Amino acid sequence: MSLHLGDIAPDFTADTTDGVLSFHDWKAGSWVVFFSHPADFTPVCTTELGRTAALHSEFAKRNTKALALSVDPVEEHRAWAPDISEVTGTPLNFPIVADPDRKVAELYDMIHPGEGDTSTVRSVFIIDPDNKLRLMLTYPKSVGRNFDEIVRVIDALQATDRDPIATPADWKPGERVIVSTSVSTEDAVKLFKDVVEVKPYLRYADAPAR
Ligand code: BEZ
C-alpha cells in the first residue's frame, strides 16, 4: 500500500521494548515521530536512538511521542538498549517496535530492496493527533538523520495548524512567516503585525504571539 500525506496512519499491534502496543490507542491525542532504523547493534542507529532519547523533553513540550522500529526481535532491542545509554549518555526512554515478521515495515513501506537487504531504511513519519500523516522522509541506511530538522518540522506544522500561515525556507520558530495565499492582504493586516507585501502572492508577517 502506498501512503500519502493526509492519509490516516495505518494502525497496528506489535511487541515493543515497553510491551505490546496498539498504535492508535498508544498515541491517543499525541503527535508521533515514528521512525525505522536498519538494525540493532549498528553505529549510526545507536547515535540516532540516543539523540531521540535526548530530545524527550523537547518532544514532550510539543505533545509528541517517539516510536522506533526495526525488524529485529524484542530481545535484541532490549539487549542493545544499554549500549545506547552508554554511548550517547541518555537511556532509552521510548519504545522500539520489534517487527521480525516485517508486517509493520511493509504496512509503512519501510523496506526498499534496492538499499541492500530486507532491513528497514531510515523512514520518518510525523503523525498528528488525528492520526493523519503530516510528513514522510526517507533516508538511506548510511546517513544519520538530522533530528533538529524533525523538531523544526513539528514546530512548523503546529504553527501552520494554529494560524493561516506557511513557513518559508529554513524557517525557525520566532522568525517571520508567510501569510497563507487564502488570506487577502487587506485581511492579513487585520490578522498579523508588520505585513510586508513582497509580491501579491508573497506576504511576510510576524508570527502571532502565543
Ligand atoms: C548503521 O546504523 O551504522 C548502519 C546500519 C545499516 C547499514 C549501514 C549503517
Side-chain angles (χ1 to χ4, degrees), residues 38-39 42-46 122 141-142:
T42 52
V44 176
C45 301
T46 304
R122 299 184 195 281
K141 292 177 184 176
S142 55

Side-chain angles (χ1 to χ4, degrees), residues 48-68:
E48 286 193 326
L49 271 76
R51 175 73 179 125
T52 305
L55 284 169
H56 191 266
S57 62
E58 291 303 317
F59 286 145
K61 277 187 222 163
R62 294 161 176 82
N63 183 30
T64 300
K65 293 176 166 184
L67 182 66

Side-chain angles (χ1 to χ4, degrees), residues 6-206:
D7 288 352
I8 296 297
D11 198 12
F12 58 85
T13 298
D15 201 8
T16 79
T17 45
D18 291 354
V20 174
L21 161 160
S22 281
F23 184 53
H24 285 185
D25 288 346
W26 172 78
K27 75 178 284 302
S30 295
W31 291 75
V32 168
V33 177
F34 181 33
F35 66 106
S36 56
H37 63 275
D40 299 345
F41 297 105
T42 52
V44 176
C45 301
T46 304
T47 64
E48 286 193 326
L49 271 76
R51 175 73 179 125
T52 305
L55 284 169
H56 191 266
S57 62
E58 291 303 317
F59 286 145
K61 277 187 222 163
R62 294 161 176 82
N63 183 30
T64 300
K65 293 176 166 184
L67 182 66
L69 174 147
S70 83
V71 297
D72 299 299
V74 76
E75 303 77 40
E76 290 282 303
H77 290 339
R78 290 203 175 113
W80 178 42
D83 285 6
I84 295 169
S85 179
E86 182 193 325
V87 170
T88 68
T90 313
L92 187 68
N93 51 23
F94 57 91
I96 310 176
V97 172
D99 191 32
D101 57 9
R102 297 175 164 75
K103 272 195 195 145
V104 183
E106 279 165 15
L107 204 53
Y108 279 81
D109 198 18
M110 291 164 161
I111 295 171
H112 297 206
E115 266 288 292
D117 58 23
T118 54
S119 63
T120 42
V121 295
R122 299 184 195 281
S123 300
V124 184
F125 297 88
I126 296 180
I127 301 162
D128 74 12
D130 295 328
N131 299 336
K132 275 194 184 159
L133 289 172
R134 301 294 299 275
L135 172 128
M136 296 189 285
L137 286 170
T138 311
Y139 281 61
K141 292 177 184 176
S142 55
V143 178
R145 286 160 281 205
N146 182 333
F147 286 81
D148 291 333
E149 167 63 1
I150 291 167
V151 174
R152 188 194 76 90
V153 173
I154 296 168
D155 284 333
L157 286 168
Q158 293 182 350
T160 59
D161 281 358
R162 276 193 302 267
D163 292 298
I165 59 167
T167 57
D170 298 332
W171 176 87
K172 289 194 282 305
E175 294 180 354
R176 282 167 62 78
V177 296
I178 291 171
V179 178
S180 170
T181 50
S182 63
V183 178
S184 68
T185 300
E186 190 188 359
D187 287 342
V189 295
K190 294 178 201 152
L191 286 171
F192 301 105
K193 281 194 187 142
D194 199 12
V195 175
V196 172
E197 187 179 279
V198 177
K199 291 280 179 191
Y201 57 83
L202 174 56
R203 287 84 39 89
Y204 285 103
D206 285 348

